[in-house]
Amino acid sequence: MEITFSDRKLEKLANDDRKCLKEMGKVRAGKYKTRLTQLEDAETLEDVRHLAGNYHELVENRKGQWACDLDQPYRLIFKPHENPIPTDEDGKYIWLEITGVEVIEITNYHKEK
């Protein structure tokens, strides 16, 4: 799957192991690299749906975005390249038709409530 980044810092961290380790720490940096590798190796978003990392759709003010676990409570947030995001007749997103994502941020979105 194609991965792009909305933020140059996130892209730099993805491509510079030493900088990533220094800024994120060993655990989060390792999880970040693992999740990016899982996404890169996938043909569609469906391929990561049931992998370790708890890939899931977000709701409410983050509808149209997905998340996966890094180190608790932090999540990697991304959105599909497809615009509009493919949906079925019931309005559910079709993970199988999503072939690229844009990494948006790393955050603890639970503190937003």
Side-chain angles (χ1 to χ4, degrees):
M1 189 165 16
E2 180 187 359
I3 300 174
T4 58
F5 298 85
S6 65
D7 180 290
R8 290 188 72 199
K9 180 180 179 185
L10 288 171
E11 185 173 11
K12 185 154 183 74
L13 292 173
N15 294 311
D16 186 336
D17 291 344
R18 286 180 48 197
K19 185 169 183 62
C20 188
L21 188 62
K22 181 179 179 185
E23 292 210 16
M24 292 186 178
K26 185 177 183 180
V27 173
R28 190 174 308 149
K31 294 279 187 173
Y32 183 54
K33 294 292 192 169
T34 298
R35 301 299 174 241
L36 292 175
T37 299
Q38 288 172 332
L39 288 166
E40 277 181 349
D41 290 348
E43 289 186 33
T44 71
L45 198 54
E46 182 68 28
D47 295 336
V48 298
R49 188 175 204 157
H50 302 291
L51 294 180
N54 187 30
Y55 288 85
H56 58 285
E57 298 172 23
L58 299 179
V59 295
E60 297 174 8
N61 64 328
R62 287 191 174 267
K63 185 162 178 60
Q65 297 178 356
W66 272 252
C68 59
D69 295 344
L70 295 177
D71 56 324
Q72 294 295 340
Y74 291 94
R75 306 289 193 277
L76 178 65
I77 312 298
F78 56 93
K79 65 181 182 179
H81 286 165
E82 287 75 12
N83 187 13
I85 301 170
T87 57
D88 65 15
E89 61 276 352
D90 296 324
K92 294 181 180 165
Y93 293 128
I94 304 172
W95 291 47
L96 193 60
E97 293 183 15
I98 297 170
T99 60
V101 296
E102 178 180 30
V103 174
I104 301 170
E105 66 181 325
I106 293 172
T107 190
N108 171 11
Y109 56 74
H110 293 289
K111 70 179 179 182
E112 295 173 358
K113 294 181 180 180

